[in-house]
Amino acid sequence: MTDTDQIVEPGAQVSPEMTKSLCKDLSIALEKFPKVRLGHLPTPLEPMDRLSEMLGGPRLWVKRDDCTGLSSGGNKTRKLEFLMADAQKHGADTIITQGATQSNHARQTTAAAAKLGMGCHILLEDRTGSNDRDYILNGNVLLDRLHGASVSKRAGGTDMNAEMEALAETLLAQGKKPYIIPGGGSNAIGALGYVNCARELAEQAASTGLHIDALVHATGSSGTQAGLVAGIAAIQSDMHLLGIGVRAPREKQEQMVYDLAQKTADYMGTGLTIKRGDVRANCDYVGPGYGLPTDGMIAALKLLAQTEGLLFDPVYSGKGLDGLIDQIRKGYFDGMENVVFLHTGGSAALFGYPDTFGLPGYSD
Ligand SMILES: *Cc1c(COP(=O)(O)O)cnc(C)c1O
């Protein structure tokens, strides 16, 4: 027993000293999992003062996971640090993963494989039906190829897990040692990256005396939120976590996050029980569907580009921001002082959507 094994009363605030000590315990617990260094960590935590002033709500901060560095950065880098180490542990020489056409996960995986000298096969599912040249060739797809991956397409609605298994069989027969990473890198191994992020953020806040009331981010394949839920529980933080959905309806999204958060906690061997009530997703900002632009996303993305000089993406972080801004206006965060938006990256996808923003040409 260390003095940090005590449980804080529900609702009571953990002191900064105790937070630091719980964070230290968590980083020791994470050390038993192999990890390769791929990202620039810790990522900065920065105020967004012009945006805060404009919206008149709580003070807004941004956790810059768009700055993880790997092939223009993003949230998949933290997951890949654990996933690629697991692939190495299994003696893999080839990585297989899947995603939507403009998948940021695919792009970061191709870069990680290149850095570690592994082959990489990407299966891209056409979820939007768009045949726009930029959408299918530019942005993340361009970078996938630049990193040397083989890229193949599948029709929308394909069983992508079955496709990855079939490809693995083919590669095995050719004498390769394939390793399959699930879509979004979202399993208990990948989610460890966001358990670690929860710790990193709590330490950053504790070291500057900042009390973070809420953390908001875009949630898709659920590994990011699941890791954060498990990490926040492990350090007994009272931080209110809210995911903004980009695809599934609320019930389904919350269930996915909850299941993976519990699996992640079990995998860590912490004996933690995840509370269903700690899993919150608002899925009102998806619009017509995954990867399809909404007016709210366009307005939010332009607002941040023009008030904070920050770039977000049309599929995830832009819709997440739309949710954050709208919920501030609706009073969801009333009474809170500090709200952090986790910037999960994705701006490389902007070049797959050049006509979405109705931008003017040259001024003269
Ligand atoms: C993948 C992704 C997300 C969602 O993360 P999940 O772990 O899949 O829920 C959010 N933002 C960006 C930019 C992403 O690429």
Side-chain angles (χ1 to χ4, degrees), residues 12 14 40 43 50 61 64 88 125 142 158-160 209 230 236 255 259 269 287 290 318 326 329 333 337 352:
V14 179
H40 302 172
T43 58
R50 270 171 48 78
W61 301 75
R64 299 290 306 270
Q88 285 183 324
E125 181 190 358
L142 171 72
T158 301
D159 180 344
M160 297 301 281
Q236 302 179 38
Q255 195 61 42
D259 291 345
Y290 174 89
D326 193 53
R329 293 192 169 128
F333 301 102
E337 275 171 28

Side-chain angles (χ1 to χ4, degrees), residues 75-76 79 104 184 186 218-224 313 316-317 344-346:
N75 64 336
K76 304 311 179 307
K79 301 178 181 183
N104 302 299
S186 286
T219 179
S221 67
S222 85
T224 302
D313 81 282
Y316 295 94
S317 58
T344 44

